[in-house]
Amino acid sequence: LFPGVGSFGAAMNRLDELDYTTALREYVRDSGRPFFGICLGMQTLFEASEESPGVRGLGILPGVVRRFSDEQGSLAVPHI
């Protein structure tokens, strides 16, 4: 279980400072054990986030976390 609240960039910078990124990548990719990322914890699994340009995520899942597009103003986004 990897929960998280806050900014993608600050979280990834802190994980780098504490030298946790390699251990997290190995745990998720190689251990065969279940892994559940909640909120920011899930976002860090991706390659990057448009919230923090230039900051790399863990890169376990391909893609970039993007803000919901609400061009018509009718998108209801749940807050859990």
Side-chain angles (χ1 to χ4, degrees):
L1 178 64
F2 187 39
V5 174
S7 157
F8 180 90
M12 288 308 305
N13 288 335
R14 187 67 175 149
L15 290 172
D16 283 337
E17 288 172 8
L18 296 172
D19 201 27
Y20 287 166
T21 54
T22 301
L24 279 168
R25 282 187 193 102
E26 289 174 0
Y27 179 89
V28 175
R29 286 185 180 156
D30 303 332
S31 73
R33 292 179 278 185
F35 183 86
F36 185 47
I38 299 174
C39 197
L40 181 59
M42 186 262 324
Q43 293 178 35
T44 62
L45 297 175
F46 287 87
E47 296 168 318
S49 171
E50 70 178 20
E51 175 185 352
S52 302
V55 177
R56 294 180 56 211
L58 295 171
I60 294 163
L61 299 174
V64 175
V65 177
R66 299 196 189 284
R67 183 181 178 115
F68 286 116
S69 173
D70 190 14
E71 296 170 357
Q72 298 173 354
S74 62
L75 180 64
V77 179
H79 295 289
I80 299 173

